[in-house]
Amino acid sequence: MVDLALSSMALAVFSQTHRHKPTAIEASRRYQSLLGIVQARVGQVGRCISNEADLDACLLAIFFMARYETVMFWPTEHFSPVALALMQDWSHHDGAMAVLKTWFQSSDRKPATFLVKHTRRGLIKCSLLRNLPLPDWLLDGSQFGEVGLELGYDRHIVGVVNLHYDMKSLLARTELDITEAEILNDEANRLLEQLDDWVAKFPQAWSFRQHDFPDFGPWPRKHFFSPTLYTFDKPAYGAAWALYFAARMLTSSISLRLLGLIHDDGSSSPLHRHQLLDSSQSFQQMIESLAATVPCCLGLFTASGHHNSADNQSMTLASTKRVVQPHLANLLVWCLTLASIIPVMDQGQQAWFRSELAELGRLTGTGILETAETGQWGSL
């Protein structure tokens, strides 16, 4: 089952990156064969979860199937953002949710495996994109193998997913409840403080340096949004900071929308107006910071010199002039996805993030990401 899932996904990626139709046909043939096998296995999930290898095999096959759908996805002329929410990939996420819930509720549950942990992470992202609340049993990351800094980020993103759902529910009502908007905004501020506490625990080795190159333009352009660049000792360190910037951007955007509701209702106080200004400034700063991490995370520039030197001028930058590697592109996919769908962003800034995301889609062979700059991309 896993071999068939892996081969269908790998063939799909090859067919997309090389635009090779015969390979796409073979990938589709294997995928269709796989569907019946996995459906039968998921139907017997109660027996699967008692064996760690069977559980992991089931989760891994579902993951590859969902990946196949996102790789092979391409919109028709009648495609709309609504269609995105109904795509087949979501059914695979629902299947993974069912498997994980059965495992979690099992009386003889074994410790969470690596695949259990990462399946849950995928489900949390999926719930945000679909505007679904997280079920209670999925909330505690420590039950799914999250520890340390990863658990700290997990607690934040779980809170943001449910906060976003509550905000959207409030917006959908015919009558605005200002008291609830204020309560939700207080929760957004609490989550922002929590996120800042999390990033304060980053090791010193993960720190970044800022460099400005005003003569390096024009701006913005491919992979470079402005003259400001952040450099890191390793792309993975940049990816951790990108998670912070994107998460803070998302949380600040929720606060901005809630404060906007309060202001439009005529109920804003001096405190609300001060918070609105602070949230707007923080939001803009996170946009610029996330964009500044992109070149180094993609391996387009490397820093030479002593990274922790007090003398900023001791640092120099050298272009690697290499094609972006898919594994580096994957470091930024989630962060740029968030930046591409936050509705309160300036159109020009968002167009750049969507263009970057589409380029990462081409590099990784992910068809659905390539649609980010087609004008048919959705928003939160």
Side-chain angles (χ1 to χ4, degrees):
M1 179 176 67
V2 173
D3 289 346
L4 193 57
L6 176 59
S7 63
S8 61
M9 187 274 292
L11 288 169
V13 171
F14 181 90
S15 71
Q16 286 290 91
T17 55
H18 293 78
R19 299 295 190 250
H20 194 258
K21 189 173 180 179
T23 306
I25 293 172
E26 176 60 19
S28 178
R29 186 189 68 79
R30 297 192 185 194
Y31 178 75
Q32 295 302 319
S33 299
L34 175 66
L35 280 173
I37 297 173
V38 173
Q39 287 171 354
R41 184 67 66 90
V42 171
Q44 301 173 346
V45 66
R47 287 192 293 175
C48 292
I49 62 170
S50 61
N51 183 291
E52 185 176 288
D54 287 345
L55 172 65
D56 280 354
C58 194
L59 292 174
L60 193 57
I62 294 173
F63 166 78
F64 285 138
M65 291 172 71
R67 179 84 171 97
Y68 172 92
E69 292 285 352
T70 57
V71 166
M72 298 300 284
F73 180 86
W74 191 257
T76 67
E77 60 179 335
H78 303 297
F79 173 76
S80 70
V82 175
L84 182 62
L86 301 175
M87 63 178 288
Q88 179 69 22
D89 179 43
W90 299 137
S91 67
H92 297 317
H93 285 275
D94 292 340
M97 180 77 81
V99 172
L100 215 57
K101 183 177 182 180
T102 303
W103 167 83
F104 183 82
Q105 296 179 338
S106 173
S107 59
D108 59 345
R109 183 181 62 188
K110 304 292 192 301
T113 65
F114 177 84
L115 283 168
V116 164
K117 178 173 70 174
H118 282 269
T119 297
R120 176 178 171 275
R121 291 182 183 180
L123 292 174
I124 291 170
K125 294 176 182 178
C126 174
S127 295
L128 176 64
L129 296 178
R130 299 171 72 184
N131 189 36
L132 296 175
L134 295 173
D136 290 344
W137 62 268
L138 202 64
L139 296 180
D140 185 2
S142 65
Q143 298 293 311
F144 295 85
E146 301 287 5
V147 295
L149 281 173
E150 293 177 341
L151 180 58
Y153 175 79
D154 181 85
R155 286 171 175 161
H156 173 81
I157 198 65
V158 162
V160 171
V161 170
N162 282 339
L163 176 63
H164 178 264
Y165 174 79
D166 290 339
M167 178 200 66
K168 295 285 282 188
S169 298
L170 179 64
L171 290 172
R173 295 178 192 169
T174 55
E175 293 186 8
L176 178 61
D177 186 336
I178 291 299
T179 300
E180 183 171 353
E182 291 175 337
I183 292 172
L184 294 180
N185 184 59
D186 289 343
E187 175 64 7
N189 289 328
R190 185 193 71 79
L191 289 170
L192 286 170
E193 292 177 2
Q194 180 190 66
L195 189 62
D196 290 340
D197 289 342
W198 174 70
V199 81
K201 296 182 176 66
F202 278 13
Q204 181 64 28
W206 294 13
S207 62
F208 62 87
R209 299 292 295 272
Q210 176 176 322
H211 307 270
D212 297 292
F213 296 88
D215 300 325
F216 194 61
W219 316 102
R221 58 193 178 92
K222 183 177 178 180
H223 302 319
F224 297 89
F225 181 71
S226 76
T228 301
L229 301 178
Y230 292 170
T231 58
F232 308 84
D233 282 348
K234 296 180 180 180
Y237 300 162
W241 278 97
L243 274 179
Y244 167 73
F245 297 141
R248 208 176 202 288
M249 186 192 311
L250 173 62
T251 312
S252 295
S253 74
I254 295 173
S255 179
L256 280 173
R257 296 173 76 176
L258 292 166
L259 289 168
L261 285 175
I262 297 170
H263 181 269
D264 292 344
D265 186 69
S267 305
S268 62
S269 65
L271 175 60
H272 290 137
R273 290 190 288 274
H274 178 72
Q275 290 179 339
L276 185 61
L277 178 61
D278 281 353
S279 292
S280 180
Q281 292 174 340
S282 174
F283 181 67
Q284 184 59 37
Q285 183 182 2
M286 293 304 103
I287 292 173
E288 295 169 0
S289 294
L290 178 58
T293 68
V294 169
C296 192
C297 283
L298 295 181
L300 298 175
F301 275 85
T302 56
S304 60
H306 297 290
H307 195 75
N308 294 322
S309 170
D311 180 10
N312 187 56
Q313 298 304 314
S314 68
M315 295 291 294
T316 59
L317 291 177
S319 171
T320 63
K321 295 185 178 180
R322 294 179 298 198
V323 175
V324 176
Q325 298 299 307
H327 72 281
L328 295 179
N330 280 322
L331 291 176
L332 289 176
V333 165
W334 173 243
C335 299
L336 295 188
T337 297
L338 287 179
S340 74
I341 57 178
I342 292 176
V344 295
M345 191 182 299
D346 173 80
Q347 288 186 352
Q349 293 173 325
Q350 193 155 70
W352 183 83
F353 282 117
R354 290 182 176 185
S355 176
E356 286 297 298
L357 186 61
E359 178 63 18
L360 298 192
R362 286 185 282 272
L363 289 167
T364 59
T366 309
I368 195 168
L369 297 182
E370 293 187 57
T371 69
E373 60 181 352
T374 63
Q376 299 169 311
W377 200 239
S379 65
L380 286 176

